[in-house]
């Protein structure tokens, strides 16, 4: 007997029920309904809540009026931290007018040498101050992972209340999950040496969020 | 027991040794208030959003019970969904089979180095040793696991594997391994480890991770980390292997979202962990990154037999670590005293169930009966009740005959007297023989893993651990 069959046989014995087809139909109906558990009541409006939570998680946040202001905002941020003018960006935001802002931005997957990564996001979650990034040819996951500094452009219109709302949006707009759906909440951190929190474990040490109002 | 390499039989002996270790005690005493305070803050903050802990707990219990009561169905759904996304789904009965499967996948893809994100199942399987023996270099990348690997030890906590290590010990390890000047500044040390491990992420051909949940609806693995190493090992290497227990399935993304409201809060007090990844299948058409091959290894190793048993509730466990973070016994002894992969109250239940009750006779007694563990468990596992049940099973199984109790009482008497204990430790092999009953059942007591030649340590008396613990507390 294969290990698969052997294990499943033991699982079936433990479960102790035989009407497999009926139980599977019940399970499928449950999945199709995807009921939600207890939901939070957020006291602030979404953008305010998102910003407060993101800042609490050690991200820095600024607001701009329209997407066309993004390159200048990124340039100002990089200059203020003396981070140079070079960056890798996800292809979905690489078409902004970066050159006019004095930046040298290439749209591609990130490599180890990249110091700054710029991405958009699929949506953002107010409850926890979290970004949801979906991997794909236009939005490679390495851009938000390998560089020490991650800058994300977050349209205010894409802020939803909860993770459940993000899943609903994902089902409506994409239908299925990409290879990697990454929920990102601030810079990477570790507490493994004497429970002392240090930012910048393996992923970015700095996360800067640019909220785009228009 | 050979296969499982459990040292759980020697809990009592190790307990005395751990209580007497001042470095360990310093590390533990520093950690405890942090763990407890953080969780309290995280759970307390639920009220800001008008969420109630008990209500969320009930929802989490329902989700886990729904899966366990029809686990055959949910595994079937998960398997077909995962395969539909292009992943391969393999099954392992035990630790040995985990190792065989991983090594086979590694050979098929020419893997020489595997970067690992923390995986307790790989500890169950002793996968690192097996990989090394097969000529594949395993590199732990969770900072705590990395420290433990450098020290040649095993994790002492499921969330904070190196909680037993002090700054000085870690500084020494880094100096020795990295060949750089000694640093004792924690951010600088973290930076140093980041630089060393980055090169491993980039060169490993295989990433090995656990996952917190398997999502049936989408065939995905949900992986939660703070450091980002989980994202690295599932993005950069060309092969990704997920090793996980068969009980980890949850039905839907919504169920996952519900569980995520309690998992990080219970573990570290965080509202959410820094990185939560849902990994589904392999590199898609047009993708220029991500693994070309994704393999799930679904592991039984003692889990299936708990279904329908008096211990089924233990399978609800989501490995948050809250029970050990609130356990006075854990914080007196540290995780290594428990002798196997899972420490604290959940380990005291799981270890005897997974490795055999007769191999972990002391563990169900490692309790003060305070029920702190039961009151913080996000999936409401009645840990003290299950430990009590295990003690009863020992009695009905005839595992605690009088002669053995007598021998162990004698041992406890020695262990409770530090000066005598240390004298005995130094002469253990020769002098402990007098403790044995006339069948000579105690051959060598397990004072340290290397010393433990025999495995015939008899059962301890019911109260001895508690007496020992209480005596230490009075000191
Ligand atoms: S038994 Fe409960 S508290 Fe302990 S690790 Fe499991 S889920 Fe967490």
């Amino acid at each position: 007997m294969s290990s698969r069959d052997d294990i499943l046989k033991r699982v079936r014995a433990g479960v102790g029920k035989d009407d497999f087809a009926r139980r599977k139909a019940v399970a499928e109906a449950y999945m199709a309904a995807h009921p939600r558990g207890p939901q939070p009541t957020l006291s602030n409006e979404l953008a305010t809540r998102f910003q407060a939570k993101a800042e609490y998680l050690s991200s820095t946040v600024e607001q701009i009026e329209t997407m066309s202001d993004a390159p200048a905002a990124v340039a100002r941020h990089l200059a203020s931290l003396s981070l140079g003018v070079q960056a890798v960006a996800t292809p979905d935001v690489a078409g902004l007018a970066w050159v006019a802002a004095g930046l040298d931005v290439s749209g591609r997957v990130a490599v180890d040498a990249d110091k700054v990564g710029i991405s958009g996001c699929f949506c953002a979650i107010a409850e926890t101050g979290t970004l949801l990034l979906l991997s794909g040819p236009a939005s490679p996951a390495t851009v938000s992972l390998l560089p020490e500094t991650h800058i994300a452009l977050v349209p205010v219109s894409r802020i939803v209340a909860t993770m459940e709302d993000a899943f609903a949006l994902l089902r409506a707009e994409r239908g299925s999950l990409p290879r990697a759906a990454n929920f990102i909440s601030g810079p990477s951190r570790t507490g493994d040496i004497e429970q002392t929190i240090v930012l910048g474990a393996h992923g970015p040490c700095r996360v800067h969020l640019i909220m785009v109002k228009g | 027991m050979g296969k499982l390499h459990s040292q759980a039989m020697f809990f009592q002996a190790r307990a005395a040794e751990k209580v007497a270790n001042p470095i360990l005690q310093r590390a533990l005493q520093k950690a405890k208030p942090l763990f407890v305070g953080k969780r309290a803050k995280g759970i307390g903050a639920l009220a800001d959003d008008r969420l109630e802990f008990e209500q969320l707990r009930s929802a989490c219990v329902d989700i886990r019970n729904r899966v366990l009561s029809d686990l055959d169905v949910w595994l079937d759904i998960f398997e077909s969904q995962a395969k539909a996304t292009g992943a391969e789904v393999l099954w392992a009965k035990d630790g040995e089979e985990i190792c065989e499967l991983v090594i086979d996948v590694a050979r098929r893809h020419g893997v020489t180095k595997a970067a690992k994100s923390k995986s307790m199942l790989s500890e169950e399987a002793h996968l690192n040793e097996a990989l090394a023996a097969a000529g594949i270099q395993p590199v732990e990348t969770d900072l705590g696991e990395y420290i433990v690997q450098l020290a040649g030890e095993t994790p002492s906590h499921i969330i904070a594997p190196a909680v037993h290590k002090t700054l000085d010990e870690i500084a020494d390890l880094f100096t020795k391994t990295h060949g750089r000047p000694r640093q004792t500044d924690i951010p600088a040390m973290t930076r140093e480890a980041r630089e060393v491990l980055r090169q491993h992420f980039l060169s490993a051909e295989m990433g090995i991770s656990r996952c917190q949940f398997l999502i049936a609806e989408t065939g995905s693995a949900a992986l939660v980390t703070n450091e980002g190493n989980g994202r690295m090992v599932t993005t950069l290497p060309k092969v990704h292997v997920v090793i996980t227990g068969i009980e980890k399935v949850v039905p839907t993304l919504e169920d996952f979202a519900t569980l995520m409201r309690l998992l990080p809060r219970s573990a570290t007090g965080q509202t959410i962990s820094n990185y939560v990844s849902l990994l589904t299948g392999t590199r898609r058409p047009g993708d220029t990154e991500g693994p070309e091959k994704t393999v799930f290894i679904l592991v039984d190793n003692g889990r299936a037999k708990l279904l329908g048993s008096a211990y089924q509730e233990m399978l609800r466990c989501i490995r948050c670590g809250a029970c050990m973070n609130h356990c006075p016994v854990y914080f007196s002894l540290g995780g290594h005293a428990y002798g196997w992969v899972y420490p604290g109250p959940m380990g005291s239940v799981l270890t005897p169930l997974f490795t055999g009750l007769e191999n972990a006779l002391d563990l169900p007694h490692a309790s003060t009966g305070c029920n702190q563990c039961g009151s913080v468990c996000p999936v409401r596992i009645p840990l003290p009740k299950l430990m009590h049940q295990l003690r009863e099973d020992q009695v009905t199984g005839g595992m605690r005959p009088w002669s053995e109790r007598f021998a162990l009482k004698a041992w406890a008497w020695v262990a409770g007297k530090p000066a005598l204990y240390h004298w005995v430790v130094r002469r253990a092999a020769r002098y402990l023989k007098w403790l044995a009953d006339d069948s000579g059942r105690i051959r060598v007591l397990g004072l340290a893993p290397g010393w433990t030649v025999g495995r015939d340590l008899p059962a301890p008396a019911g109260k001895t651990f508690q007496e020992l613990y209480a005596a230490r507390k009075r000191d």
Side-chain angles (χ1 to χ4, degrees), chain B residues 24-43:
Chain B
L24 175 70
Q25 287 304 316
R26 246 199 324 278
L28 291 172
Q29 290 327 313
K30 191 166 173 198
K32 177 159 195 204
L34 291 170
F35 283 138
V36 171
K38 283 179 180 174
R39 177 196 170 270
K41 204 171 153 203
I43 296 293

Tab-separated table of all heavy atoms in Angstrom, chain B residues 24-43:
chain	number	residue	atom	x	y	z
B	24	LEU	N	21.085	29.456	31.651
B	24	LEU	CA	19.743	29.165	31.142
B	24	LEU	C	18.707	29.938	31.950
B	24	LEU	O	17.785	30.543	31.406
B	24	LEU	CB	19.477	27.660	31.221
B	24	LEU	CG	18.063	27.243	30.823
B	24	LEU	CD1	17.862	27.437	29.321
B	24	LEU	CD2	17.801	25.796	31.196
B	25	GLN	N	18.858	29.933	33.258
B	25	GLN	CA	17.886	30.616	34.102
B	25	GLN	C	17.839	32.109	33.791
B	25	GLN	O	16.765	32.695	33.737
B	25	GLN	CB	18.223	30.395	35.593
B	25	GLN	CG	17.919	28.984	36.069
B	25	GLN	CD	16.467	28.597	35.819
B	25	GLN	OE1	15.562	29.377	36.073
B	25	GLN	NE2	16.245	27.408	35.280
B	26	ARG	N	18.999	32.711	33.534
B	26	ARG	CA	19.015	34.135	33.192
B	26	ARG	C	18.241	34.390	31.906
B	26	ARG	O	17.420	35.291	31.818
B	26	ARG	CB	20.461	34.625	33.039
B	26	ARG	CG	20.851	35.630	34.099
B	26	ARG	CD	22.064	36.483	33.761
B	26	ARG	NE	23.139	35.860	33.032
B	26	ARG	CZ	24.093	35.103	33.570
B	26	ARG	NH1	24.090	34.846	34.851
B	26	ARG	NH2	25.057	34.618	32.820
B	27	ALA	N	18.520	33.553	30.896
B	27	ALA	CA	17.851	33.729	29.603
B	27	ALA	C	16.334	33.599	29.763
B	27	ALA	O	15.561	34.400	29.239
B	27	ALA	CB	18.381	32.706	28.589
B	28	LEU	N	15.911	32.589	30.511
B	28	LEU	CA	14.471	32.344	30.649
B	28	LEU	C	13.798	33.448	31.458
B	28	LEU	O	12.708	33.898	31.124
B	28	LEU	CB	14.234	30.990	31.326
B	28	LEU	CG	14.612	29.761	30.498
B	28	LEU	CD1	14.507	28.505	31.350
B	28	LEU	CD2	13.736	29.639	29.262
B	29	GLN	N	14.448	33.881	32.517
B	29	GLN	CA	13.813	34.889	33.364
B	29	GLN	C	13.657	36.206	32.625
B	29	GLN	O	12.743	36.977	32.869
B	29	GLN	CB	14.598	35.085	34.677
B	29	GLN	CG	14.507	33.891	35.641
B	29	GLN	CD	13.168	33.153	35.573
B	29	GLN	OE1	12.107	33.767	35.582
B	29	GLN	NE2	13.205	31.819	35.453
B	30	LYS	N	14.560	36.454	31.670
B	30	LYS	CA	14.445	37.672	30.876
B	30	LYS	C	13.269	37.565	29.899
B	30	LYS	O	12.575	38.536	29.621
B	30	LYS	CB	15.755	37.893	30.107
B	30	LYS	CG	15.796	39.264	29.480
B	30	LYS	CD	17.172	39.660	28.997
B	30	LYS	CE	17.029	40.980	28.242
B	30	LYS	NZ	18.147	41.278	27.395
B	31	ALA	N	13.048	36.378	29.381
B	31	ALA	CA	12.056	36.215	28.310
B	31	ALA	C	10.617	36.202	28.820
B	31	ALA	O	9.716	36.730	28.179
B	31	ALA	CB	12.350	34.923	27.544
B	32	LYS	N	10.393	35.609	29.978
B	32	LYS	CA	9.017	35.327	30.373
B	32	LYS	C	8.097	36.557	30.427
B	32	LYS	O	7.035	36.557	29.814
B	32	LYS	CB	8.973	34.582	31.707
B	32	LYS	CG	7.532	34.369	32.107
B	32	LYS	CD	7.283	33.287	33.079
B	32	LYS	CE	5.788	33.005	33.028
B	32	LYS	NZ	5.265	32.420	34.211
B	33	PRO	N	8.497	37.626	31.160
B	33	PRO	CA	7.572	38.772	31.233
B	33	PRO	C	7.305	39.370	29.856
B	33	PRO	O	6.205	39.887	29.604
B	33	PRO	CB	8.297	39.766	32.147
B	33	PRO	CG	9.669	39.248	32.347
B	33	PRO	CD	9.696	37.815	31.977
B	34	LEU	N	8.298	39.291	28.953
B	34	LEU	CA	8.093	39.827	27.605
B	34	LEU	C	6.995	39.054	26.897
B	34	LEU	O	6.063	39.612	26.325
B	34	LEU	CB	9.396	39.731	26.800
B	34	LEU	CG	10.512	40.667	27.260
B	34	LEU	CD1	11.821	40.319	26.567
B	34	LEU	CD2	10.132	42.112	26.959
B	35	PHE	N	7.090	37.733	26.914
B	35	PHE	CA	6.097	36.899	26.240
B	35	PHE	C	4.693	37.157	26.800
B	35	PHE	O	3.737	37.348	26.063
B	35	PHE	CB	6.422	35.415	26.437
B	35	PHE	CG	7.552	34.910	25.573
B	35	PHE	CD1	8.507	34.051	26.096
B	35	PHE	CD2	7.636	35.266	24.241
B	35	PHE	CE1	9.530	33.563	25.298
B	35	PHE	CE2	8.658	34.775	23.439
B	35	PHE	CZ	9.613	33.932	23.975
B	36	VAL	N	4.601	37.144	28.130
B	36	VAL	CA	3.290	37.274	28.758
B	36	VAL	C	2.706	38.661	28.501
B	36	VAL	O	1.543	38.804	28.114
B	36	VAL	CB	3.395	36.981	30.276
B	36	VAL	CG1	2.092	37.316	30.980
B	36	VAL	CG2	3.766	35.519	30.500
B	37	GLY	N	3.535	39.684	28.668
B	37	GLY	CA	3.066	41.055	28.485
B	37	GLY	C	2.630	41.328	27.059
B	37	GLY	O	1.607	41.977	26.811
B	38	LYS	N	3.390	40.814	26.097
B	38	LYS	CA	3.050	41.072	24.697
B	38	LYS	C	1.723	40.434	24.317
B	38	LYS	O	0.897	41.027	23.648
B	38	LYS	CB	4.162	40.556	23.775
B	38	LYS	CG	5.362	41.475	23.746
B	38	LYS	CD	6.440	40.913	22.848
B	38	LYS	CE	7.644	41.831	22.830
B	38	LYS	NZ	8.759	41.237	22.078
B	39	ARG	N	1.541	39.195	24.758
B	39	ARG	CA	0.271	38.553	24.426
B	39	ARG	C	-0.894	39.302	25.054
B	39	ARG	O	-1.914	39.549	24.419
B	39	ARG	CB	0.239	37.098	24.875
B	39	ARG	CG	-1.126	36.472	24.594
B	39	ARG	CD	-1.369	35.183	25.342
B	39	ARG	NE	-2.771	34.795	25.204
B	39	ARG	CZ	-3.733	35.184	26.044
B	39	ARG	NH1	-3.456	36.000	27.048
B	39	ARG	NH2	-4.975	34.779	25.843
B	40	ALA	N	-0.733	39.686	26.320
B	40	ALA	CA	-1.826	40.362	27.023
B	40	ALA	C	-2.208	41.635	26.274
B	40	ALA	O	-3.389	41.950	26.097
B	40	ALA	CB	-1.404	40.681	28.454
B	41	LYS	N	-1.198	42.356	25.788
B	41	LYS	CA	-1.455	43.592	25.058
B	41	LYS	C	-2.168	43.290	23.736
B	41	LYS	O	-3.138	43.957	23.371
B	41	LYS	CB	-0.110	44.282	24.800
B	41	LYS	CG	-0.234	45.766	24.584
B	41	LYS	CD	1.152	46.423	24.560
B	41	LYS	CE	1.070	47.684	23.716
B	41	LYS	NZ	2.355	48.100	23.180
B	42	GLY	N	-1.684	42.274	23.047
B	42	GLY	CA	-2.281	41.918	21.757
B	42	GLY	C	-3.736	41.487	21.898
B	42	GLY	O	-4.604	41.903	21.123
B	43	ILE	N	-4.011	40.664	22.880
B	43	ILE	CA	-5.385	40.198	23.085
B	43	ILE	C	-6.250	41.367	23.574
B	43	ILE	O	-7.392	41.546	23.140
B	43	ILE	CB	-5.431	39.025	24.096
B	43	ILE	CG1	-4.676	37.809	23.546
B	43	ILE	CG2	-6.868	38.653	24.449
B	43	ILE	CD1	-5.286	37.133	22.342
